[in-house]
Amino acid sequence: MTTFAEPHQSPALLLLGQKTDLASERGVECTGGLPAASDPDLVERAKTARATLGDRAFILGHHYQRDEVIDFADITGDSFKLAREAAARPDAEFILFCGVHFMAESADILTSDHQKVILPDLAAGCSMADMAEINQVEDAWDTLIDAGVADATVPVTYMNSSAAIKAFTGRHEGTVCTSSNAEVALRWAFDQVGGVEGNGKVFFLPDQHLGRNTAVLQLGLSLDDCVVFDPRKPQGGLTTEQLRDARMILWRGHCSVHGRFSLRNIEEMRAKVPDVNILAHPECKNEVIAASDFVGSTEFIIKTLDAAPAGSSWAIGTELNLVRRLANAHPDKNIHYLDSTVCFCSTMNRIDLPHLVWVMESLLAGRVVNQIVVNDDDARWAKAALDQMLALPGI
Ligand code: 13P
Ligand code: SF4
């Protein structure tokens, strides 16, 4: 049983997570010749193009993608699994990344020079990643230097950040993390500066919620150990004393999709559905995570539902494409969307079948469109940070 509306029918449909016209900001070509979404032959065109490309192409699909796209994915996964899968396909000439911009950048960094990574719609950005720009991050680091704390601070960036910011963490001997491995990555980072019990700090970018949730609920730090650095305020809006006392310096960023879930949603769900299990993504606010029964990445959410007994009830706090797919895959379980209003990630949703067909047919016509290329210097340092993450123990 599901409790949410069809995507094209609900007047209350919300599409969040989109920054305006990212494609034109990034100076990219427009998608002339895109097939119409109403083209009755679209699925057949997609099947033909996919079959003709054969082993030359490998298609990765993030769990938040639309069903029409997931149907053509060679593999699906969370951002961590997809980064590993991209790195493990050295023979594919084209990696078609059905996800968002920062994920395609990571794939470009982790694949060989002869491979081309394609993002079917260049407007598929991530509003959270866009909340941290490299110049702001460099300025913030200068602030930490001036406050005398940079030497005892390790930068850790969430996968949801630009290649330039991953390169920043590589240059400063930090690491990258995803929602699957944030605890291990943070423990590693603290170990570089005296351990979780010591006095060292982590500068965590750009998702304050993932940073806070991991520090407080998994590492045992307190909410008072965490401060929020606001890049629009002088010295991040913090006193020198606050910077010196903090253990976690959290960038003021968040996900506009996961930020919607509230404690009230949980209270209402518990009142409405007896024995409901609340399962949420760690990008949700701390009070939501603290009140949830299970917390984890998209991959964790899928595995938890797979293992759940028939008849059990679940309310899921993550993006709607995934929750709808889980509800369809588990008709024997009672699956609800945690928010009362349906909500997709609008930028993930930008990748649709017309864009996928367009890039595949363009490749077959000898035209490489929407290639994602990270400059050599950023790629080198971002790779150092990503390799550091991929080498973390036990992940
Ligand atoms: P995952 O790391 O769980 O794939 O999440 C990525 C993301 O963008 C969540 O909003
Ligand atoms: Fe970014 Fe949030 Fe969309 Fe994930 S769900 S891609 S964090 S805007």
Side-chain angles (χ1 to χ4, degrees):
M1 179 188 130
T2 57
T3 58
F4 36 80
E6 287 301 309
H8 299 299
Q9 293 172 348
S10 169
L13 177 70
L14 290 175
L15 293 166
L16 291 183
Q18 185 174 6
K19 189 175 170 180
T20 50
D21 206 2
L22 287 169
S24 60
E25 275 176 28
R26 289 181 173 126
V28 297
E29 69 174 284
C30 117
T31 53
L34 201 67
S38 57
D39 182 344
D41 299 328
L42 204 53
V43 172
E44 283 313 310
R45 281 173 68 173
K47 283 183 185 161
T48 305
R50 178 67 196 97
T52 314
L53 278 168
D55 291 345
R56 293 176 68 200
F58 191 72
I59 304 183
L60 300 166
H62 188 269
H63 292 309
Y64 294 166
Q65 291 288 294
R66 297 162 179 264
D67 289 350
E68 69 200 44
V69 171
I70 290 292
D71 285 347
F72 287 91
D74 294 314
I75 198 149
T76 58
D78 63 7
S79 55
F80 179 62
K81 181 174 165 191
L82 294 182
R84 278 223 282 228
E85 290 293 336
R89 308 286 156 179
D91 297 331
E93 190 181 343
F94 305 116
I95 302 286
L96 272 53
F97 209 114
C98 299
V100 289
H101 192 268
F102 71 81
M103 296 179 184
E105 279 190 328
S106 297
D108 181 52
I109 292 161
L110 292 169
T111 49
S112 317
D113 287 349
H114 71 274
Q115 295 180 284
K116 295 181 171 55
V117 175
I118 313 284
L119 182 66
D121 185 347
L122 287 158
C126 163
S127 57
M128 176 202 286
D130 290 335
M131 287 177 195
E133 288 179 8
I134 185 60
N135 294 346
Q136 296 174 311
V137 173
E138 302 275 11
D139 288 349
W141 191 251
D142 287 343
T143 300
L144 301 193
I145 292 172
D146 293 344
V149 300
D151 284 347
T153 303
V154 176
V156 177
T157 192
Y158 188 24
M159 192 70 140
N160 300 27
S161 57
S162 67
I165 289 175
K166 293 187 180 80
F168 165 87
T169 61
R171 284 190 194 96
H172 293 281
E173 299 177 337
T175 194
V176 180
C177 76
T178 70
S179 52
S180 305
N181 61 27
E183 180 184 355
V184 181
L186 278 191
R187 285 194 189 282
W188 173 87
F190 276 115
D191 282 348
Q192 310 312 300
V193 283
V196 176
E197 310 302 329
N199 293 318
K201 304 174 197 310
V202 165
F203 179 35
F204 193 86
L205 300 146
D207 183 13
Q208 59 170 299
H209 299 305
L210 178 66
R212 187 182 292 107
N213 289 331
T214 311
V216 173
L217 298 169
Q218 292 183 291
L219 268 58
L221 294 178
S222 74
L223 285 173
D224 290 341
D225 288 325
C226 306
V227 292
V228 177
F229 190 101
D230 184 342
R232 286 160 302 187
K233 292 189 176 158
Q235 204 168 273
L238 299 166
T239 63
T240 302
E241 196 180 22
Q242 283 175 309
L243 282 171
R244 286 186 186 154
D245 289 348
R247 305 295 314 288
M248 285 290 288
I249 302 171
L250 304 166
W251 192 260
R252 190 159 191 262
H254 67 275
C255 167
S256 39
V257 177
H258 292 90
R260 290 178 49 79
F261 299 110
S262 66
L263 205 45
R264 190 159 166 209
N265 292 151
I266 296 183
E267 287 160 2
E268 286 174 357
M269 197 56 77
R270 290 205 195 278
K272 193 170 84 176
V273 183
D275 298 326
V276 69
N277 295 285
I278 308 289
L279 170 53
H281 193 283
E283 287 176 13
C284 297
K285 293 183 202 109
N286 184 251
E287 73 241 35
V288 170
I289 294 302
S292 295
D293 301 303
F294 300 90
V295 178
S297 72
T298 48
E299 200 70 19
F300 173 86
I301 290 171
I302 292 167
K303 286 184 182 148
T304 304
L305 264 288
D306 284 347
S312 56
S313 296
W314 296 84
I316 317 287
T318 194
E319 205 268 349
L320 188 52
N321 277 312
L322 174 58
V323 183
R324 286 165 52 89
R325 209 153 35 240
L326 285 169
N328 289 334
H330 297 281
D332 58 331
K333 295 162 202 171
N334 183 19
I335 297 178
H336 300 257
Y337 187 61
L338 182 56
D339 195 357
S340 48
T341 321
V342 297
C343 184
F344 296 95
C345 171
S346 67
T347 47
M348 282 278 181
N349 254 8
R350 291 200 70 100
I351 313 286
D352 56 9
L353 198 53
H355 282 87
L356 187 56
V357 169
W358 174 69
V359 295
M360 289 195 293
E361 290 182 349
S362 299
L363 292 175
L364 288 169
R367 232 164 57 89
V368 177
V369 291
N370 288 11
Q371 186 181 352
I372 301 298
V373 183
V374 176
N375 73 63
D376 287 349
D377 194 47
D378 279 350
R380 176 175 159 232
W381 287 108
K383 185 164 186 326
L386 283 163
D387 284 345
Q388 166 57 51
M389 174 187 82
L390 292 168
L392 287 171
I395 58 168

